[in-house]
Short mmCIF file of all heavy atoms in Angstrom, two decimals:
data_model
loop_
_atom_site.label_atom_id
_atom_site.label_comp_id
_atom_site.label_asym_id
_atom_site.label_seq_id
_atom_site.Cartn_x
_atom_site.Cartn_y
_atom_site.Cartn_z
N MET L 1 147.20 121.65 132.57
CA MET L 1 146.19 122.64 132.26
C MET L 1 144.93 121.91 131.80
O MET L 1 144.93 121.18 130.82
CB MET L 1 146.70 123.59 131.18
CG MET L 1 145.65 124.45 130.59
SD MET L 1 146.18 125.76 129.48
CE MET L 1 147.10 124.93 128.23
N ALA L 2 143.84 122.11 132.53
CA ALA L 2 142.57 121.51 132.18
C ALA L 2 141.68 122.55 131.49
O ALA L 2 141.53 123.66 131.97
CB ALA L 2 141.87 121.01 133.43
N VAL L 3 141.15 122.16 130.37
CA VAL L 3 140.27 123.04 129.60
C VAL L 3 138.85 122.49 129.69
O VAL L 3 138.61 121.32 129.43
CB VAL L 3 140.72 123.16 128.14
CG1 VAL L 3 139.75 124.00 127.34
CG2 VAL L 3 142.13 123.73 128.06
N ILE L 4 137.93 123.34 130.05
CA ILE L 4 136.53 122.98 130.20
C ILE L 4 135.75 123.58 129.02
O ILE L 4 135.98 124.71 128.61
CB ILE L 4 135.94 123.54 131.52
CG1 ILE L 4 136.76 123.04 132.70
CG2 ILE L 4 134.48 123.18 131.66
CD1 ILE L 4 136.69 121.55 132.92
N ALA L 5 134.82 122.79 128.47
CA ALA L 5 133.95 123.25 127.39
C ALA L 5 132.53 123.40 127.94
O ALA L 5 132.01 122.49 128.57
CB ALA L 5 133.97 122.27 126.23
N ASN L 6 131.94 124.53 127.68
CA ASN L 6 130.58 124.82 128.13
C ASN L 6 129.74 125.18 126.90
O ASN L 6 130.02 126.18 126.22
CB ASN L 6 130.59 125.96 129.14
CG ASN L 6 129.23 126.22 129.73
OD1 ASN L 6 128.38 125.35 129.73
ND2 ASN L 6 129.04 127.41 130.23
N LYS L 7 128.71 124.38 126.60
CA LYS L 7 127.84 124.69 125.46
C LYS L 7 127.07 125.97 125.76
O LYS L 7 126.42 126.09 126.78
CB LYS L 7 126.86 123.55 125.20
CG LYS L 7 127.47 122.37 124.54
CD LYS L 7 126.40 121.35 124.15
CE LYS L 7 127.04 120.15 123.52
NZ LYS L 7 126.06 119.14 123.15
N VAL L 8 127.14 126.91 124.83
CA VAL L 8 126.47 128.19 125.03
C VAL L 8 125.38 128.45 124.01
O VAL L 8 124.51 129.31 124.24
CB VAL L 8 127.47 129.36 125.03
CG1 VAL L 8 128.39 129.27 126.22
CG2 VAL L 8 128.27 129.40 123.74
N ASP L 9 125.40 127.75 122.88
CA ASP L 9 124.40 128.03 121.85
C ASP L 9 124.26 126.82 120.94
O ASP L 9 125.22 126.09 120.72
CB ASP L 9 124.83 129.25 121.01
CG ASP L 9 123.77 129.72 120.06
OD1 ASP L 9 122.57 129.60 120.39
OD2 ASP L 9 124.11 130.19 118.97
N THR L 10 123.06 126.61 120.43
CA THR L 10 122.80 125.55 119.47
C THR L 10 121.92 126.12 118.35
O THR L 10 120.99 126.88 118.61
CB THR L 10 122.08 124.36 120.14
OG1 THR L 10 122.96 123.83 121.14
CG2 THR L 10 121.75 123.28 119.15
N VAL L 11 122.25 125.73 117.12
CA VAL L 11 121.47 126.13 115.95
C VAL L 11 120.99 124.86 115.25
O VAL L 11 121.78 123.93 115.02
CB VAL L 11 122.31 126.99 114.99
CG1 VAL L 11 121.53 127.31 113.72
CG2 VAL L 11 122.79 128.26 115.66
N LEU L 12 119.72 124.80 114.93
CA LEU L 12 119.14 123.70 114.17
C LEU L 12 119.04 124.15 112.72
O LEU L 12 118.49 125.21 112.42
CB LEU L 12 117.75 123.34 114.72
CG LEU L 12 117.01 122.23 114.02
CD1 LEU L 12 117.75 120.91 114.13
CD2 LEU L 12 115.61 122.10 114.59
N ARG L 13 119.59 123.35 111.81
CA ARG L 13 119.61 123.74 110.40
C ARG L 13 118.99 122.63 109.56
O ARG L 13 119.35 121.46 109.69
CB ARG L 13 121.06 123.98 109.97
CG ARG L 13 121.20 124.69 108.69
CD ARG L 13 122.57 125.36 108.59
NE ARG L 13 122.58 126.15 107.40
CZ ARG L 13 123.53 126.13 106.48
NH1 ARG L 13 124.58 125.37 106.65
NH2 ARG L 13 123.42 126.87 105.41
N LEU L 14 118.05 123.00 108.72
CA LEU L 14 117.36 122.04 107.84
C LEU L 14 117.81 122.24 106.42
O LEU L 14 117.93 123.38 105.95
CB LEU L 14 115.85 122.26 107.90
CG LEU L 14 115.06 121.68 109.07
CD1 LEU L 14 115.57 122.18 110.39
CD2 LEU L 14 113.61 121.95 108.91
N LYS L 15 118.06 121.14 105.72
CA LYS L 15 118.38 121.17 104.29
C LYS L 15 117.17 120.63 103.55
O LYS L 15 116.79 119.47 103.71
CB LYS L 15 119.62 120.31 104.03
CG LYS L 15 120.09 120.31 102.60
CD LYS L 15 121.33 119.44 102.46
CE LYS L 15 121.84 119.40 101.05
NZ LYS L 15 123.01 118.48 100.93
N LEU L 16 116.56 121.48 102.75
CA LEU L 16 115.32 121.15 102.04
C LEU L 16 115.55 121.13 100.54
O LEU L 16 116.34 121.90 100.01
CB LEU L 16 114.24 122.19 102.37
CG LEU L 16 113.93 122.37 103.85
CD1 LEU L 16 113.16 123.65 104.08
CD2 LEU L 16 113.18 121.18 104.39
N ILE L 17 114.85 120.24 99.86
CA ILE L 17 114.93 120.18 98.41
C ILE L 17 113.84 121.09 97.84
O ILE L 17 112.65 120.87 98.07
CB ILE L 17 114.75 118.74 97.89
CG1 ILE L 17 115.82 117.83 98.49
CG2 ILE L 17 114.79 118.70 96.37
CD1 ILE L 17 115.61 116.36 98.18
N THR L 18 114.26 122.11 97.10
CA THR L 18 113.30 123.07 96.55
C THR L 18 112.91 122.77 95.11
O THR L 18 111.99 123.38 94.59
CB THR L 18 113.86 124.50 96.63
OG1 THR L 18 115.08 124.57 95.88
CG2 THR L 18 114.10 124.92 98.07
N GLY L 19 113.61 121.87 94.47
CA GLY L 19 113.33 121.54 93.09
C GLY L 19 114.57 120.96 92.44
O GLY L 19 115.43 120.40 93.11
N ASP L 20 114.67 121.13 91.11
CA ASP L 20 115.88 120.68 90.43
C ASP L 20 116.26 121.70 89.37
O ASP L 20 115.45 122.49 88.93
CB ASP L 20 115.71 119.28 89.82
CG ASP L 20 114.57 119.20 88.83
OD1 ASP L 20 114.45 120.08 87.96
OD2 ASP L 20 113.78 118.24 88.90
N ASP L 21 117.58 121.63 89.03
CA ASP L 21 118.03 122.51 87.96
C ASP L 21 117.67 121.88 86.62
O ASP L 21 117.04 120.83 86.55
CB ASP L 21 119.53 122.80 88.10
CG ASP L 21 120.38 121.55 87.98
OD1 ASP L 21 119.85 120.48 87.65
OD2 ASP L 21 121.60 121.65 88.22
N GLY L 22 118.06 122.47 85.55
CA GLY L 22 117.71 121.95 84.23
C GLY L 22 118.27 120.58 83.93
O GLY L 22 117.76 119.86 83.08
N SER L 23 119.32 120.18 84.66
CA SER L 23 119.97 118.89 84.41
C SER L 23 119.44 117.78 85.29
O SER L 23 119.94 116.66 85.25
CB SER L 23 121.48 119.02 84.65
OG SER L 23 122.03 120.04 83.85
N GLY L 24 118.47 118.06 86.13
CA GLY L 24 117.91 117.05 87.01
C GLY L 24 118.60 116.95 88.37
O GLY L 24 118.27 116.07 89.16
N ASN L 25 119.56 117.82 88.62
CA ASN L 25 120.22 117.83 89.93
C ASN L 25 119.38 118.59 90.93
O ASN L 25 118.78 119.62 90.60
CB ASN L 25 121.60 118.49 89.83
CG ASN L 25 122.51 117.77 88.88
OD1 ASN L 25 122.57 116.55 88.89
ND2 ASN L 25 123.22 118.51 88.04
N PRO L 26 119.30 118.11 92.17
CA PRO L 26 118.47 118.81 93.16
C PRO L 26 119.03 120.18 93.53
O PRO L 26 120.24 120.39 93.54
CB PRO L 26 118.49 117.86 94.37
CG PRO L 26 119.66 116.98 94.17
CD PRO L 26 119.94 116.91 92.71
N VAL L 27 118.11 121.08 93.82
CA VAL L 27 118.45 122.42 94.32
C VAL L 27 118.01 122.46 95.77
O VAL L 27 116.90 122.06 96.11
CB VAL L 27 117.75 123.52 93.50
CG1 VAL L 27 118.03 124.89 94.09
CG2 VAL L 27 118.18 123.46 92.05
N TYR L 28 118.92 122.92 96.63
CA TYR L 28 118.67 122.91 98.06
C TYR L 28 118.48 124.31 98.63
O TYR L 28 119.02 125.27 98.11
CB TYR L 28 119.84 122.25 98.81
CG TYR L 28 120.13 120.85 98.36
CD1 TYR L 28 121.24 120.56 97.56
CD2 TYR L 28 119.28 119.80 98.72
CE1 TYR L 28 121.49 119.27 97.15
CE2 TYR L 28 119.55 118.50 98.30
CZ TYR L 28 120.65 118.25 97.52
OH TYR L 28 120.91 116.96 97.11
N ALA L 29 117.72 124.38 99.71
CA ALA L 29 117.58 125.60 100.50
C ALA L 29 117.81 125.20 101.95
O ALA L 29 117.49 124.08 102.36
CB ALA L 29 116.19 126.20 100.34
N PHE L 30 118.39 126.10 102.69
CA PHE L 30 118.65 125.85 104.11
C PHE L 30 117.81 126.78 104.96
O PHE L 30 117.63 127.95 104.62
CB PHE L 30 120.13 126.07 104.43
CG PHE L 30 121.03 125.01 103.84
CD1 PHE L 30 121.56 125.16 102.57
CD2 PHE L 30 121.34 123.88 104.55
CE1 PHE L 30 122.37 124.21 102.02
CE2 PHE L 30 122.16 122.90 104.02
CZ PHE L 30 122.68 123.07 102.74
N ARG L 31 117.29 126.27 106.05
CA ARG L 31 116.56 127.06 107.03
C ARG L 31 117.25 126.87 108.37
O ARG L 31 117.49 125.73 108.79
CB ARG L 31 115.10 126.63 107.15
CG ARG L 31 114.31 126.74 105.87
CD ARG L 31 114.02 128.20 105.50
NE ARG L 31 113.22 128.29 104.32
CZ ARG L 31 113.69 128.50 103.09
NH1 ARG L 31 114.98 128.61 102.90
NH2 ARG L 31 112.89 128.59 102.06
N SER L 32 117.59 127.96 109.03
CA SER L 32 118.26 127.90 110.32
C SER L 32 117.34 128.40 111.41
O SER L 32 116.63 129.40 111.24
CB SER L 32 119.54 128.75 110.30
OG SER L 32 120.46 128.21 109.39
N TYR L 33 117.38 127.73 112.54
CA TYR L 33 116.58 128.11 113.71
C TYR L 33 117.54 128.29 114.89
O TYR L 33 118.19 127.32 115.32
CB TYR L 33 115.52 127.04 114.01
CG TYR L 33 114.56 126.89 112.86
CD1 TYR L 33 114.80 125.95 111.86
CD2 TYR L 33 113.45 127.70 112.75
CE1 TYR L 33 113.95 125.83 110.78
CE2 TYR L 33 112.59 127.58 111.67
CZ TYR L 33 112.84 126.65 110.69
OH TYR L 33 112.00 126.54 109.62
N ASN L 34 117.63 129.52 115.37
CA ASN L 34 118.56 129.88 116.44
C ASN L 34 117.88 129.77 117.80
O ASN L 34 116.69 129.51 117.90
CB ASN L 34 119.07 131.31 116.24
CG ASN L 34 119.79 131.47 114.92
OD1 ASN L 34 120.59 130.63 114.54
ND2 ASN L 34 119.49 132.54 114.22
N ASN L 35 118.67 130.00 118.83
CA ASN L 35 118.19 130.01 120.22
C ASN L 35 117.60 128.67 120.65
O ASN L 35 116.64 128.63 121.40
CB ASN L 35 117.18 131.14 120.45
CG ASN L 35 117.77 132.50 120.17
OD1 ASN L 35 118.92 132.74 120.50
ND2 ASN L 35 117.01 133.37 119.54
N ILE L 36 118.19 127.59 120.17
CA ILE L 36 117.81 126.25 120.60
C ILE L 36 118.54 125.97 121.91
O ILE L 36 119.71 126.31 122.06
CB ILE L 36 118.21 125.19 119.55
CG1 ILE L 36 117.60 125.54 118.18
CG2 ILE L 36 117.85 123.80 119.99
CD1 ILE L 36 116.11 125.49 118.11
N LYS L 37 117.86 125.36 122.86
CA LYS L 37 118.51 125.04 124.13
C LYS L 37 119.64 124.03 123.89
O LYS L 37 119.42 122.99 123.29
CB LYS L 37 117.51 124.44 125.12
CG LYS L 37 116.53 125.45 125.64
CD LYS L 37 115.67 124.83 126.70
CE LYS L 37 114.70 125.86 127.25
NZ LYS L 37 113.87 125.32 128.31
N PRO L 38 120.85 124.34 124.35
CA PRO L 38 121.97 123.42 124.14
C PRO L 38 121.75 122.05 124.78
O PRO L 38 122.32 121.06 124.34
CB PRO L 38 123.16 124.14 124.80
CG PRO L 38 122.79 125.58 124.77
CD PRO L 38 121.30 125.61 124.94
N ALA L 39 120.90 121.96 125.79
CA ALA L 39 120.66 120.68 126.47
C ALA L 39 119.68 119.80 125.69
O ALA L 39 119.46 118.64 126.08
CB ALA L 39 120.12 120.94 127.87
N ALA L 40 119.09 120.30 124.62
CA ALA L 40 118.11 119.52 123.86
C ALA L 40 118.78 118.26 123.29
O ALA L 40 119.91 118.33 122.79
CB ALA L 40 117.53 120.36 122.73
N ASN L 41 118.08 117.13 123.36
CA ASN L 41 118.69 115.90 122.83
C ASN L 41 118.42 115.77 121.34
O ASN L 41 117.54 116.41 120.78
CB ASN L 41 118.24 114.67 123.63
CG ASN L 41 116.77 114.38 123.49
OD1 ASN L 41 116.21 114.48 122.41
ND2 ASN L 41 116.14 114.00 124.58
N ASN L 42 119.23 114.94 120.71
CA ASN L 42 119.18 114.81 119.26
C ASN L 42 117.85 114.27 118.74
O ASN L 42 117.37 114.69 117.68
CB ASN L 42 120.33 113.92 118.78
CG ASN L 42 121.68 114.56 119.00
OD1 ASN L 42 121.80 115.78 119.03
ND2 ASN L 42 122.70 113.75 119.15
N GLU L 43 117.25 113.35 119.46
CA GLU L 43 115.97 112.78 119.02
C GLU L 43 114.88 113.84 118.98
O GLU L 43 114.08 113.89 118.03
CB GLU L 43 115.55 111.63 119.94
CG GLU L 43 116.42 110.40 119.83
CD GLU L 43 117.75 110.52 120.60
OE1 GLU L 43 117.90 111.45 121.41
OE2 GLU L 43 118.62 109.69 120.36
N ASP L 44 114.85 114.71 120.00
CA ASP L 44 113.84 115.78 120.01
C ASP L 44 114.09 116.78 118.90
O ASP L 44 113.14 117.24 118.24
CB ASP L 44 113.84 116.48 121.36
CG ASP L 44 113.29 115.61 122.48
OD1 ASP L 44 112.59 114.62 122.17
OD2 ASP L 44 113.55 115.92 123.66
N LEU L 45 115.35 117.14 118.67
CA LEU L 45 115.66 118.08 117.58
C LEU L 45 115.28 117.51 116.23
O LEU L 45 114.75 118.23 115.38
CB LEU L 45 117.16 118.44 117.59
CG LEU L 45 117.61 119.37 118.70
CD1 LEU L 45 119.11 119.63 118.58
CD2 LEU L 45 116.85 120.67 118.67
N TYR L 46 115.51 116.22 116.04
CA TYR L 46 115.15 115.60 114.77
C TYR L 46 113.64 115.61 114.57
O TYR L 46 113.14 115.90 113.47
CB TYR L 46 115.71 114.18 114.68
CG TYR L 46 115.57 113.61 113.29
CD1 TYR L 46 116.49 113.89 112.31
CD2 TYR L 46 114.48 112.80 112.97
CE1 TYR L 46 116.35 113.38 111.03
CE2 TYR L 46 114.33 112.28 111.70
CZ TYR L 46 115.27 112.57 110.73
OH TYR L 46 115.13 112.08 109.46
N ALA L 47 112.90 115.31 115.62
CA ALA L 47 111.43 115.31 115.54
C ALA L 47 110.92 116.71 115.21
O ALA L 47 109.99 116.86 114.40
CB ALA L 47 110.83 114.83 116.85
N VAL L 48 111.51 117.72 115.81
CA VAL L 48 111.12 119.10 115.50
C VAL L 48 111.46 119.44 114.06
O VAL L 48 110.66 120.07 113.35
CB VAL L 48 111.80 120.09 116.48
CG1 VAL L 48 111.66 121.52 116.01
CG2 VAL L 48 111.26 119.90 117.87
N ALA L 49 112.62 119.00 113.58
CA ALA L 49 113.01 119.28 112.20
C ALA L 49 112.04 118.64 111.21
O ALA L 49 111.66 119.27 110.22
CB ALA L 49 114.44 118.76 111.95
N VAL L 50 111.62 117.42 111.47
CA VAL L 50 110.66 116.74 110.59
C VAL L 50 109.33 117.49 110.60
O VAL L 50 108.71 117.69 109.55
CB VAL L 50 110.48 115.27 111.02
CG1 VAL L 50 109.31 114.62 110.30
CG2 VAL L 50 111.77 114.49 110.78
N ALA L 51 108.90 117.95 111.77
CA ALA L 51 107.64 118.70 111.85
C ALA L 51 107.75 120.02 111.12
O ALA L 51 106.82 120.41 110.38
CB ALA L 51 107.28 118.94 113.31
N LEU L 52 108.87 120.74 111.27
CA LEU L 52 109.04 122.02 110.57
C LEU L 52 109.10 121.82 109.06
O LEU L 52 108.53 122.60 108.30
CB LEU L 52 110.31 122.72 111.06
CG LEU L 52 110.25 123.30 112.46
CD1 LEU L 52 111.64 123.75 112.91
CD2 LEU L 52 109.27 124.45 112.53
N ALA L 53 109.78 120.78 108.63
CA ALA L 53 109.83 120.49 107.19
C ALA L 53 108.45 120.17 106.65
O ALA L 53 108.11 120.57 105.54
CB ALA L 53 110.80 119.33 106.92
N GLY L 54 107.64 119.49 107.44
CA GLY L 54 106.28 119.21 107.03
C GLY L 54 105.46 120.46 106.80
O GLY L 54 104.61 120.51 105.92
N LEU L 55 105.73 121.49 107.60
CA LEU L 55 105.02 122.76 107.43
C LEU L 55 105.43 123.48 106.16
O LEU L 55 104.63 124.24 105.60
CB LEU L 55 105.27 123.66 108.65
CG LEU L 55 104.69 123.18 109.97
CD1 LEU L 55 105.14 124.10 111.10
CD2 LEU L 55 103.18 123.12 109.91
N THR L 56 106.67 123.28 105.70
CA THR L 56 107.12 123.95 104.48
C THR L 56 106.57 123.29 103.24
O THR L 56 106.49 123.93 102.19
CB THR L 56 108.66 123.95 104.38
OG1 THR L 56 109.12 122.62 104.18
CG2 THR L 56 109.30 124.57 105.58
N GLY L 57 106.22 121.99 103.33
CA GLY L 57 105.77 121.27 102.15
C GLY L 57 106.90 120.83 101.25
O GLY L 57 106.66 120.31 100.17
N LEU L 58 108.16 121.02 101.69
CA LEU L 58 109.32 120.62 100.90
C LEU L 58 109.94 119.36 101.51
O LEU L 58 109.92 119.18 102.73
CB LEU L 58 110.36 121.75 100.88
CG LEU L 58 109.93 123.06 100.26
CD1 LEU L 58 110.98 124.14 100.48
CD2 LEU L 58 109.66 122.88 98.77
N PRO L 59 110.52 118.50 100.67
CA PRO L 59 111.18 117.30 101.20
C PRO L 59 112.42 117.66 102.02
O PRO L 59 113.21 118.52 101.63
CB PRO L 59 111.59 116.52 99.94
CG PRO L 59 110.82 117.12 98.82
CD PRO L 59 110.50 118.51 99.21
N LEU L 60 112.57 116.98 103.14
CA LEU L 60 113.71 117.18 104.01
C LEU L 60 114.86 116.30 103.53
O LEU L 60 114.71 115.11 103.33
CB LEU L 60 113.34 116.82 105.45
CG LEU L 60 114.39 117.00 106.53
CD1 LEU L 60 114.77 118.47 106.67
CD2 LEU L 60 113.87 116.47 107.84
N ASN L 61 116.04 116.91 103.35
CA ASN L 61 117.20 116.17 102.87
C ASN L 61 118.26 115.98 103.96
O ASN L 61 119.07 115.07 103.88
CB ASN L 61 117.82 116.87 101.67
CG ASN L 61 118.96 116.09 101.06
OD1 ASN L 61 120.10 116.35 101.35
ND2 ASN L 61 118.62 115.11 100.23
N GLY L 62 118.27 116.83 104.97
CA GLY L 62 119.25 116.70 106.02
C GLY L 62 118.93 117.58 107.21
O GLY L 62 118.26 118.61 107.07
N VAL L 63 119.37 117.14 108.39
CA VAL L 63 119.19 117.89 109.63
C VAL L 63 120.56 118.07 110.25
O VAL L 63 121.30 117.09 110.44
CB VAL L 63 118.26 117.15 110.61
CG1 VAL L 63 118.12 117.92 111.91
CG2 VAL L 63 116.90 116.91 109.98
N PHE L 64 120.91 119.30 110.55
CA PHE L 64 122.22 119.61 111.11
C PHE L 64 122.06 120.28 112.47
O PHE L 64 121.17 121.13 112.65
CB PHE L 64 122.99 120.57 110.18
CG PHE L 64 123.22 120.00 108.82
CD1 PHE L 64 122.28 120.21 107.82
CD2 PHE L 64 124.35 119.28 108.53
CE1 PHE L 64 122.48 119.69 106.56
CE2 PHE L 64 124.56 118.75 107.27
CZ PHE L 64 123.62 118.96 106.27
N ARG L 65 122.92 119.90 113.38
CA ARG L 65 122.98 120.53 114.69
C ARG L 65 124.34 121.18 114.83
O ARG L 65 125.38 120.51 114.73
CB ARG L 65 122.79 119.49 115.79
CG ARG L 65 122.93 120.08 117.17
CD ARG L 65 122.86 119.01 118.24
NE ARG L 65 122.95 119.64 119.54
CZ ARG L 65 122.24 119.25 120.59
NH1 ARG L 65 121.43 118.22 120.51
NH2 ARG L 65 122.38 119.89 121.73
N ASN L 66 124.35 122.50 115.02
CA ASN L 66 125.59 123.23 115.20
C ASN L 66 125.66 123.74 116.63
O ASN L 66 124.87 124.59 117.02
CB ASN L 66 125.69 124.40 114.23
CG ASN L 66 125.69 123.95 112.79
OD1 ASN L 66 126.21 122.89 112.47
ND2 ASN L 66 125.11 124.74 111.91
N ASP L 67 126.61 123.20 117.40
CA ASP L 67 126.80 123.62 118.78
C ASP L 67 127.98 124.57 118.88
O ASP L 67 129.02 124.33 118.25
CB ASP L 67 127.06 122.42 119.70
CG ASP L 67 125.85 121.54 119.87
OD1 ASP L 67 124.73 122.09 119.97
OD2 ASP L 67 126.00 120.31 119.87
N THR L 68 127.84 125.61 119.68
CA THR L 68 128.94 126.52 119.98
C THR L 68 129.31 126.33 121.43
O THR L 68 128.45 126.35 122.30
CB THR L 68 128.52 127.99 119.74
OG1 THR L 68 128.10 128.13 118.40
CG2 THR L 68 129.66 128.94 120.03
N GLU L 69 130.60 126.12 121.66
CA GLU L 69 131.07 125.90 123.03
C GLU L 69 132.09 126.97 123.41
O GLU L 69 132.91 127.37 122.59
CB GLU L 69 131.73 124.51 123.16
CG GLU L 69 130.76 123.37 122.94
CD GLU L 69 131.41 122.01 123.11
OE1 GLU L 69 132.61 121.89 122.88
OE2 GLU L 69 130.69 121.10 123.49
N LEU L 70 132.02 127.37 124.65
CA LEU L 70 132.98 128.30 125.21
C LEU L 70 134.04 127.49 125.94
O LEU L 70 133.71 126.67 126.80
CB LEU L 70 132.27 129.26 126.19
CG LEU L 70 133.17 130.21 126.97
CD1 LEU L 70 133.88 131.17 126.03
CD2 LEU L 70 132.35 130.97 127.99
N LEU L 71 135.29 127.68 125.55
CA LEU L 71 136.39 126.97 126.19
C LEU L 71 137.09 127.89 127.17
O LEU L 71 137.36 129.05 126.85
CB LEU L 71 137.40 126.50 125.13
CG LEU L 71 136.88 125.58 124.04
CD1 LEU L 71 137.99 125.26 123.07
CD2 LEU L 71 136.30 124.31 124.61
N TYR L 72 137.38 127.36 128.34
CA TYR L 72 138.13 128.16 129.30
C TYR L 72 139.02 127.24 130.14
O TYR L 72 138.78 126.07 130.30
CB TYR L 72 137.21 129.01 130.19
CG TYR L 72 136.15 128.26 130.94
CD1 TYR L 72 136.36 127.85 132.25
CD2 TYR L 72 134.92 127.98 130.34
CE1 TYR L 72 135.39 127.18 132.94
CE2 TYR L 72 133.94 127.30 131.04
CZ TYR L 72 134.18 126.90 132.33
OH TYR L 72 133.22 126.22 133.03
N ASN L 73 140.10 127.83 130.64
CA ASN L 73 141.11 127.14 131.40
C ASN L 73 140.75 127.16 132.87
O ASN L 73 140.38 128.19 133.41
CB ASN L 73 142.47 127.81 131.17
CG ASN L 73 143.60 127.06 131.81
OD1 ASN L 73 143.46 125.91 132.20
ND2 ASN L 73 144.73 127.72 131.93
N VAL L 74 140.90 126.01 133.52
CA VAL L 74 140.59 125.92 134.96
C VAL L 74 141.89 125.85 135.73
O VAL L 74 142.81 125.21 135.42
CB VAL L 74 139.75 124.67 135.26
CG1 VAL L 74 139.39 124.63 136.72
CG2 VAL L 74 138.52 124.66 134.41
#
């Protein structure tokens, strides 16, 4: 039984530092961007994430790519 995976959706998620709590620990906020083309390469997604973080004025702490794949039996 051969199972094929087909990417159907990609979400770009940014982890931003919004400040710190009273103890000096960072406080994070996440921004998600849906409807990203699944064929987009990682370098382009990272460049877009850096540009979007620059627009927020908040420091970027992490960039996440979440791919959803449809599995089916051939």
Side-chain angles (χ1 to χ4, degrees):
M1 168 171 56
V3 176
I4 304 295
N6 185 22
K7 285 187 181 179
V8 294
D9 188 34
T10 298
V11 176
L12 179 63
R13 194 158 187 230
L14 280 57
K15 183 179 180 184
L16 304 165
I17 301 173
T18 59
D20 59 46
D21 62 8
S23 303
N25 300 317
V27 176
Y28 302 106
F30 290 89
R31 300 288 183 263
S32 295
Y33 299 92
N34 301 316
N35 300 320
I36 304 295
K37 289 186 179 182
N41 65 41
N42 293 334
E43 291 79 12
D44 290 341
L45 286 180
Y46 190 83
V48 168
V50 169
L52 289 170
L55 293 174
T56 68
L58 299 172
L60 181 63
N61 185 263
V63 178
F64 300 89
R65 176 185 182 141
N66 298 327
D67 291 321
T68 302
E69 295 182 332
L70 174 64
L71 301 178
Y72 56 95
N73 186 15
V74 183

